[in-house]
Amino acid sequence: MRHHFLPPILALALLVAWLSPAPVDVQAVPGRSDFGVNTHIASRYPVQAGFDGAVDLVAGTSAGWVREDFHWYWLEPEQGRFDWAIYDRAIARLAGSGVNIIGVLNTAPAWATPFPDDAPGRPSYYAPDPAAFARFASAVVTRYRDRVRFWQVWNEPENVRYWQPQPDPAAYAALLRAAYPAIKSADPNAVVLSAGVVPTNIGFIRAIADNGAWGSFDILAVHPYVDPFSPENGQIGAGDVSAVKTLVDNLGRKPIWATEFGWSTGPADRDPRGVDEETQANFLVRASTLLRAAGVEKVIWYNLKDTEPRNLYGLLRRAGGPADLSQPKPSLAAFRTLNQQLAGAAPVGLIDLGARQVVVDFEQFGTWRRGDQPNGSFSADGSQRYTGNIAGRLDYIFPGGGNDFVVFTPRPAIPLPGSPGQLGIWVYGDGSGHALKVWLRDAEGETLQFRLGFVGSAGWSFLSTTINGQVEPYNRISGGGNLRLDFPATLVAIVLDDEPDSRSGSGSIWLDDLTAISGPEAYGVRFVRGGDTIDALWSPGGAFVNLPTAAPVGTVIDRWGNASQIDAGNGAFGLSLGPSPIFLIHRAVQAFAPQPAPAPAPAQPAPQPSAGPCRSFPETGFAVCGRLLEYWERNGGLPVFGFPIGPEEDMLIEGKTVRAQWFERNRLELHPQNAPPYDVLLGRLGAERLEASGRNWFDFPKGDPRASLYFPQTGQAIAPEFRQYWSSHGLNLDGRPGYTLEESLALFGLPLSPPLMEVNPTDGKTYLTQHFERARFEYHPENRGTPYVVLLGLLGRETTGKR
C-alpha cells in the first residue's frame, strides 16, 4: 500500500509560534502500532495464572501485534477429538487486551503424517496430509474467527527442522492450496499469511509460485534474520528483503510482513556468541525502523521470553520459569518506546545524513575489461541515464545450473576519495533481482567484496552499502589482512551475480553515478504522523550530525522513553548520536526526499497522451487515452472515477514526476515499471482530504471488533449502509467475476472513520458519510430504489478546486 503525504504548511510558521511536539502518551492504546512480538502464550503458559501476567505485560508495551502458535498436535491429539480449553482462555485474554493476533497453524500430530506411529502424542514436523490440515484449519478458524483474523500457514517450511524429511516447496504449495479455501470458507474476512521464510531462501518463495500457490495467501511473510551481523552490515532492509520485493513485483504484488527476526543475548543456532543485552535493545529499534523503511508493513520480534539455555532472543530473561516476568532485558523498554513513539506513524524513507561525492559518472566511460566468465558485456550507452548523457549498460547471460556471475574491472583502478563510510550506485533495473557487488582493494592489498543490493524493477533506484565494517572470510577475494577496508582504497571491479544460483536467463541493466558517502556512519529513518515528523536516529560508532528542521524546538525521546527538549539553530538540530537510537519529534523543513534529485534533463517535447485509443468527454472537455482508458473502463468507469477533469500530464507526486490524470473522484497514476494491473495506481485522496481538513483518523472513535468487515489495522468497520456497495466493487486483479476482499481494498482502501453525519462539500446537505483511504462514501436516501443510494465523494474536484 502506498502512502501519499501532504508537505508541511510552512506558511503557518509566519502566523503562529511553533510549539515543541509532545511524545506519544506512554499509555498508547495496544493495537495501533505496526510492531509486535512472538508471545507463544497459549503454548508456553499452560495455566491461566501464568499467561495473565504475560498478557498484561505485552499490553503494557503498547504492542500492535502478537504471534501465537496454534499447535495441531496439541489441539487435535487424536483425529476428530479437540481440546480447546487452554487456547480458549489464552486467546480470550489476548483479544481482550486490544492487540491484533496472528495465529500460526503448524506442528502436526503424527497421525496426520505419513508416519502415524512416530512418537504418538508428540509433535511431528513431517509434511502433513493437506486435506487433514485443511479440516484442522477450518475448525480452528471457525472457533476463533471473532477474535483472530490473521492466520499463518506453517512456519519456515524451507527449514529442515520444520519440514521433514527435507524441505519441499511443491508439498508446501499443496498445503497452501488446500488451506486457503478452507480458511476463507470458515471466515470470509480472514487474512492468510504464507509461512515465514528466511529470505536468503528466495528460491523457495519463487517455487511456491511455480507450484501454483501464489494466489493461495494474502500476505507474504519473511523472517529476515541477519545475525550475527548488525542490522546495517547485514542490510536487513536493503538486502534480502529488497530482493523479495523485486520478486513480489514480478509475481504479483502482496504486502510483506516480517513475522520473526531478532538477536540472541547468548549462544544461538545462527550465532555462536550472541550479543550483549544493550546491543540487543539497540538492534531491535534500529532493525525495526529499517524494515519499515524498506516497505515491510508489520514487524514482529522473536520472542517474548527465553525458555532454554540457547537462542536467547527474548525480551525477558529465562530465570524463574515461564511465569516469572520479573527479569526484563533492556530490549523490553526499547520495544515499549518503539511502539509508543511510532504508533500510527507511517514511514517516509531513509534520511541522507552523509556528504555525497560522485566517483564515476560514466560520461568519460574509459576502459572496462570483462573477467574470465563469458557472461556479458559492459558498454557506454545513452538510452537510459540518471544524469548527463551516458550511463554504463551491463548486458548479461546466465546459463543457469550453478553460480553464474560476470566481473568488469576498470583500467586503471578507480580511487575512492578519502575514507567514505558508504558506497552506492544508481541502477536502472530489469526486475531480475540479481545481486550487484563491488570489489574494493585497500592499502594492505586486500581485495574485499561488498554487496550493494539487488537489482529491482524498471526505473532508477539507489543501491548502497556500508564499507567500513568487517566482511565475512568468503568475501575476501584476494590478499590477506583484517577483513576490513583500510584506506586509501580503490574500486577494482563491478560484479553482477545470479540470485539465486540456480537462476538462468539474460537481461540488461544500466549503472550511473557511482557515489561515495563520507562522514561518520549515521542513520536515520523518517516517519510522519499528522503534522509531526518522527525521526529515528543513531550512529553505530558515534557521530555529530546537523538535521534540517522548520521548527525552533523539538522533542528527543531516548530508548528508555525519557523525553527532553532540544533547540534548533540556523534551521537545524545539532545532535550527538550513538549506537542507542533516539526519536526526534519536530516539523520537517520540507517534504522528505531520501535521495538527491538528478540534474535537470534537457528540454523535452511537450508530453503526449498515452498511446492507444482515446475517448472524449464533452461534459468536461477532456479525453482519456490508452492504458488509463482501459483501466477506467475495466474498474468501474463513471460511477467509481467520474469524468476526467484535466489532461493526462506529468505531475510531481511524493517528490517524483509521475504521469497521471485527475478525475472527479480520484487520480489515476501510470507506473509502467510495474507489471499490470499495478502499472496504474490510485491516489490516496480519502486520507489526504481528511488531513487537509485538519482531522487525524487516529482520533476517531473505534468500531466494534465483532462487526462484519472490521479492519483492525484502523480499528474501523464498514457501516451496514455501505457494505453491499463496498463488497460489489473493486479492482479486477484476478480476471474472475465478482470481487474479493483484497480487490475491494485495492479500490477503496481501509475505512478510516466510523459512519458520521457530515455536511457535503458539494451540495451543502447533510449525509451519512464514511471516509476511506481512497474514497469517501455518502449515503443518499433520496435515491432509494436506484443504483445511486451510495455515491462516492468528488475528491478529485475538491483536491484540485476544479468544477
Side-chain angles (χ1 to χ4, degrees), residues 387-605:
T387 62
N389 298 309
I390 298 295
R393 173 172 171 158
L394 195 161
D395 298 292
Y396 64 90
I397 302 173
F398 292 154
N403 182 22
D404 297 320
F405 59 95
V406 60
V407 178
F408 298 100
T409 59
R411 291 290 187 270
I414 299 170
L416 301 184
S419 53
Q422 292 179 278
L423 192 68
I425 195 168
W426 286 94
V427 181
Y428 190 94
D430 63 352
S432 63
H434 294 314
L436 187 67
K437 305 175 181 180
V438 292
W439 292 354
L440 304 179
R441 181 173 296 140
D442 72 359
E444 297 181 346
E446 187 177 24
T447 300
L448 304 176
Q449 177 173 262
F450 297 87
R451 185 183 68 190
L452 297 177
F454 295 92
V455 176
S457 301
W460 288 102
S461 61
F462 190 70
L463 303 185
S464 65
T465 188
T466 58
I467 58 174
N468 54 6
Q470 189 173 44
V471 305
E472 307 90 333
Y474 59 78
N475 274 321
R476 176 191 283 145
I477 303 302
S478 65
N482 57 8
L483 295 174
R484 290 181 179 273
L485 203 60
D486 298 297
F487 293 98
T490 56
L491 172 78
V492 295
I494 292 175
V495 182
L496 187 68
D497 193 356
D498 61 348
E499 180 66 33
D501 289 344
S502 59
R503 286 283 305 284
S504 62
S506 61
S508 301
I509 65 173
W510 283 260
L511 309 177
D512 206 353
D513 286 4
L514 180 76
T515 302
I517 304 173
S518 301
E521 183 185 5
Y523 299 87
V525 180
R526 177 155 291 176
F527 296 81
V528 294
R529 180 179 55 233
D532 288 339
T533 296
I534 307 111
D535 293 333
L537 303 158
W538 68 91
S539 171
F544 183 86
V545 301
N546 285 296
L547 187 73
T549 185
V553 179
T555 301
V556 172
I557 297 93
D558 66 18
R559 203 193 67 203
W560 294 92
N562 302 310
S564 59
Q565 182 174 293
I566 182 173
D567 297 324
N570 298 318
F573 292 115
L575 298 159
S576 294
L577 303 179
S580 180
I582 63 169
F583 297 93
L584 172 63
I585 304 179
H586 65 119
R587 290 175 174 83
V589 68
Q590 59 185 2
F592 181 66
Q595 303 294 352
Q604 299 293 328

Side-chain angles (χ1 to χ4, degrees), residues 40-75:
H40 309 299
I41 286 173
S43 57
R44 298 183 184 178
Y45 299 84
V47 294
Q48 186 162 347
F51 61 66
D52 274 353
V55 171
D56 292 341
L57 183 142
V58 171
T61 67
S62 302
W65 296 80
V66 296
R67 185 169 177 254
E68 281 286 312
D69 287 315
F70 284 73
H71 287 309
W72 187 5
Y73 81 96
W74 191 349
L75 285 165

Side-chain angles (χ1 to χ4, degrees), residues 97 114 163 228 271 340 399 433 506 508 556 583 659 669 678 701:
S97 73
W163 194 279
D271 180 3
Q340 291 168 349
S506 61
S508 301
V556 172
F583 297 93
R659 194 78 173 161
E669 305 168 8
Y678 304 101

Side-chain angles (χ1 to χ4, degrees), residues 737-754:
Y739 297 103
T740 65
L741 177 77
E742 292 72 27
E743 290 173 325
S744 296
L745 275 174
L747 178 59
F748 300 123
L750 295 164
L752 300 181
S753 79

Side-chain angles (χ1 to χ4, degrees), residues 714-739:
T714 59
Q716 300 295 346
I718 297 176
E721 293 83 356
F722 300 133
R723 289 173 190 162
Q724 194 278 333
Y725 186 94
W726 191 90
S727 300
S728 60
H729 292 75
L731 300 184
N732 191 347
L733 303 180
D734 57 14
R736 296 194 291 261
Y739 297 103

